[in-house]
DNA sequence: ATGAAAGCGCTAACAC
DNA sequence: GTGTTAGCGCTTTCAT
């Protein structure tokens, strides 16, 4: 069912059909009505490929994430997609899985499909990826950091604030011995979070010994392995702050296999606030980074780059804030008076130590 | 950088470039080499839109899932995408979120983008969706069930076997009072799983009272709500079989808020074996449905429908089997002798009741 | 306000 | 074996 079928059925030229479809105001309302009727009758759908070919715009947005199987990303994808579709864009998703080859092929695919812009939400981009993308000078948005070029926009997450919220919560409960499990340190955002941790601790006059800063990889497996290293230490910290929620889930699991209970023996804090966090046992205290806000910023930034007279065309930076969500994986440090009082009080039915 | 730039640079016609790019064997190797060199030099990438326009094939596959935020689906998406990309296809993902409007718009988008085929992996399709899709007679693959039409293929999951594995495991441990939390009963696959449960119970001479069969919705929230209804009953079942893992996670959470422990007081079994299952507290016993197998079958089925001389062009049905993965959310029924022995034995350090 | 026609980048049929 | 050319379905001048 091509534009020609509609044209002949409506008794007009294909140009008129095109104009009607694109809601060009100059078409005669009567003719337009006839066209729309014909469209209904033959069940016409404009061919996007042809449109893209002539207009030079595909109305497709690329969205590159690190790992689609990390639950944070589907949440982001969902929000991003909703927004994009609402604005008439289709989304091409790609998952790098931290592999340079995959990433390269991803870029090639996106380029070939003529996406109008791409959002790189990998939280720390491999440098060569940037290169390729930047060469063709088309709209790009990064999280955290990207090269300072005319077509590039960036969404910055306030890690300093987020991590500080976690550290201060722990410190307020009385924790002094706080460990940190970072993400893979190749990723800028992982480094940013770790540095924010160090800074937040220093602000409170606290220092973490080197063996309390351990590198994870933002997966449950990584969190588990990192926690096991912490458990092997002579002195177990009283709290662990994790670079993301998946890491925290791994930590919970590692602890489950020991005699230590959360939060009585050790407090655990995550980062991201994925939907799953509240269903963990115990429900995870975490720092929320709204992926809705993130998606909104990313889509807006992309549109600002694509559409010539977009109101925010000149804006280069967007900012995302965080907030602490206190649930049940944090408590007073073990052995302290408030913890003992708490423990004594919680021996009734309906409550149980985890 | 169009085909013309390459042609002039290599000193050949655009037809030759096209042939070289498409690896048509009749081109002079010497010319082909020149073409490839020119391609390298100008950084040429064929325009997919133009290709699609003329060839009538977009090399895009649609993949429709219920909810991208249910962790089972990203795993499926990942596998599907890997396979599709390896065969030269791009994947357009859509999430229905169980909304008919969203679904309708999804279909329209896929149609407009000229996808070569679509895999409907929603585990129970809304009937009108089928209609629309079926009208344009292009390749389609469904899970579980689809209308019997020439272009339609279906991947069948052996729920009978899967659920039986779960029930028999529980029965083997000595459970007689087994509850079942189903998915939303609008979905065929949810009904299939529930019926399989009833049948498996009957095979063992067991019957579940009506109040032990409760409807969930395949989310954690639904699982939690369903379990709360079970908890409110006069007599708590000794085991609960869930229609999927997300439901089971909700069940674990509901139980966590009571004095009942898993698996000592009640055993819980999931279905799907998502990656997360092994990290639950306690690690979830579940019935694995390999999403790799599923994705493989779906992609193969789609290709069989798209590519004229595909070896399996005539095949209409693919089958997926399941297997039981025993972890730590199941145990002997509470109060039975083996349970008491177990309990007495597990009082040492390093083990703890959950 | 409407139609005729050019052309987006490519493939494939046809001629040489 | 290679080049010429006619479209694929659409948007967009340019006439009318």
């Amino acid at each position: 069912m091509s534009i020609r079928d509609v044209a002949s059925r409506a008794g007009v030229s294909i140009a008129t059909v095109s104009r009607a479809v694109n809601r060009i105001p100059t078409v005669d309302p009567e003719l337009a009505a006839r066209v729309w009727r014909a469209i209904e009758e033959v069940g016409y759908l404009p061919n996007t490929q042809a449109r893209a070919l002539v207009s030079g715009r595909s109305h497709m947005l690329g969205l590159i994430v690190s790992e689609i199987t990390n639950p944070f990303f589907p949440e982001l994808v969902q929000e991003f997609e909703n927004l994009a579709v609402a604005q008439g864009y289709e989304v091409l998703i790609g998952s790098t899985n931290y592999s340079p080859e995959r990433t390269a092929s991803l870029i090639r695919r996106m380029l070939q499909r003529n996406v109008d812009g791409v959002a790189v939400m990998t939280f720390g981009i491999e440098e060569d990826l940037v290169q390729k993308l930047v060469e063709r000078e088309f709209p790009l948005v990064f999280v955290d950091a990207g090269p300072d070029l005319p077509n590039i926009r960036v969404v910055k997450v306030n890690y300093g604030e987020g991590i500080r919220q976690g550290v201060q919560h722990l410190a307020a409960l009385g924790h002094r011995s706080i460990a940190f499990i970072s993400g893979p340190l190749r990723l800028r955002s992982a480094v940013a979070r770790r540095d924010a941790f160090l800074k937040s601790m220093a602000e409170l006059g606290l220092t973490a010994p080197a063996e309390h800063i351990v590198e994870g990889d933002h997966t449950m497996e990584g969190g588990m392995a990192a926690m096991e290293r912490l458990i092997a230490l002579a002195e177990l910290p009283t709290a662990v702050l994790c670079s993301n929620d998946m890491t925290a889930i791994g930590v919970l699991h590692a602890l489950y296999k020991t005699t230590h209970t959360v939060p009585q023996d050790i407090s655990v804090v995550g980062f991201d606030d994925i939907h799953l966090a509240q269903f963990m046992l115990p429900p995870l205290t975490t720092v929320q980074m709204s992926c809705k806000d993130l998606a909104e910023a990313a889509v807006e930034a992309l549109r600002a780059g694509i559409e010539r007279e977009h109101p925010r065309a000149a804006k280069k930076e967007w900012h995302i804030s965080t907030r602490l969500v206190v649930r049940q994986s944090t408590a007073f440090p073990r052995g302290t008076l408030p913890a003992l009082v708490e423990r004594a009080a919680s021996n009734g039915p309906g409550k149980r130590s985890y």
Side-chain angles (χ1 to χ4, degrees), chain A residues 95-110:
Chain A
S95 186
T96 69
N97 293 12
Y98 305 109
S99 139
E101 298 82 48
R102 267 187 79 94
T103 306
S105 108
L106 224 48
I107 304 298
R108 198 159 10 83
R109 283 160 50 201
M110 302 254 163

Side-chain angles (χ1 to χ4, degrees), chain A residues 79-91:
Chain A
E79 299 291 351
F80 189 94
E81 189 159 355
N82 286 345
L83 293 164
V85 168
Q87 329 248 11
Y89 288 90
E90 205 63 45
V91 181

Side-chain angles (χ1 to χ4, degrees), chain A residues 19-31:
Chain A
R19 291 192 189 101
V21 168
N22 292 296
R23 307 211 133 77
I24 306 288
T26 62
V27 299
D28 185 298
E30 207 262 315
L31 273 197

Side-chain angles (χ1 to χ4, degrees), chain A residues 59-348:
Chain A
H59 281 268
M60 290 208 276
L61 259 25
L63 174 56
I64 299 187
V65 301
S66 315
E67 295 188 274
I68 186 72
T69 53
N70 173 334
F72 177 76
F73 290 110
E75 294 178 22
L76 178 65
V77 166
Q78 168 123 287
E79 299 291 351
F80 189 94
E81 189 159 355
N82 286 345
L83 293 164
V85 168
Q87 329 248 11
Y89 288 90
E90 205 63 45
V91 181
L92 230 44
I93 297 166
S95 186
T96 69
N97 293 12
Y98 305 109
S99 139
E101 298 82 48
R102 267 187 79 94
T103 306
S105 108
L106 224 48
I107 304 298
R108 198 159 10 83
R109 283 160 50 201
M110 302 254 163
L111 254 28
Q112 241 169 312
R113 292 276 168 189
N114 267 322
V115 294
D116 291 337
V118 0
V120 182
M121 314 255 102
T122 54
F123 293 92
I125 187 77
E126 299 80 22
E127 297 303 329
D128 50 337
L129 189 157
V130 185
Q131 264 326 98
K132 294 265 195 141
L133 244 21
V134 165
E135 283 170 19
R136 324 262 166 162
E137 39 184 44
F138 73 146
L140 240 35
V141 53
F142 291 92
V143 229
D144 296 340
D148 186 18
L149 275 88
N151 277 301
I152 294 181
R153 285 164 178 75
V154 30
V155 180
K156 296 203 169 172
V157 179
N158 197 338
Y159 294 118
E161 178 201 335
I163 295 290
R164 180 185 294 119
Q165 288 163 339
V167 171
Q168 299 230 343
H169 167 62
L170 256 11
L173 286 171
H175 292 275
R176 292 293 169 270
S177 172
I178 306 175
F180 183 76
I181 302 181
S182 75
L185 294 175
R186 305 172 276 103
L187 301 190
R188 289 189 194 219
S189 77
V191 175
R193 295 180 196 195
R194 191 206 49 189
D195 291 350
F197 171 73
L198 264 14
K199 181 147 173 287
S200 301
M201 289 286 279
E203 283 172 7
L204 299 173
L206 262 29
T207 47
E211 69 266 28
H212 277 187
I213 310 291
V214 3
E215 183 173 356
D217 60 0
H218 282 171
T219 68
M220 297 183 288
E221 285 82 354
M224 191 170 101
M227 190 64 223
E228 278 163 1
R229 285 169 57 192
L230 251 18
I231 291 168
L233 258 32
E235 181 85 18
L236 191 71
T238 64
V240 183
L241 185 58
C242 302
S243 189
N244 78 341
D245 286 344
M246 294 308 275
T247 301
I249 295 177
V251 165
L252 256 24
H253 190 82
L255 256 7
Y256 165 73
K257 295 195 281 188
T258 69
T259 53
H260 307 292
T261 59
V262 177
Q264 286 79 0
D265 296 327
I266 184 164
S267 289
V268 177
V269 176
F271 198 103
D272 282 348
D273 194 24
I274 58 180
H275 183 59
L276 216 50
Q278 60 190 283
F279 285 92
M280 287 299 99
L281 274 34
L284 197 64
T285 293
T286 190
V287 178
Q288 179 179 86
M289 165 169 71
S290 159
C291 65
K292 181 138 183 278
D293 294 351
L294 225 156
E296 263 167 14
V299 172
E300 185 173 296
L302 242 25
R303 294 221 309 153
I306 296 166
E307 296 163 19
R308 290 184 148 256
E309 50 287 309
H310 191 279
R312 304 239 196 301
K315 193 169 172 184
K316 287 294 180 181
E317 265 188 29
W318 275 253
H319 290 269
I320 301 297
S321 58
T322 58
R323 77 187 180 84
L324 181 71
V325 180
V326 177
R327 286 197 275 249
Q328 295 154 53
S329 66
T330 47
F332 301 111
R334 61 177 176 275
T336 59
L337 189 55
L340 298 174
V341 172
E342 179 103 323
R343 178 159 292 196
S346 71
N347 278 341

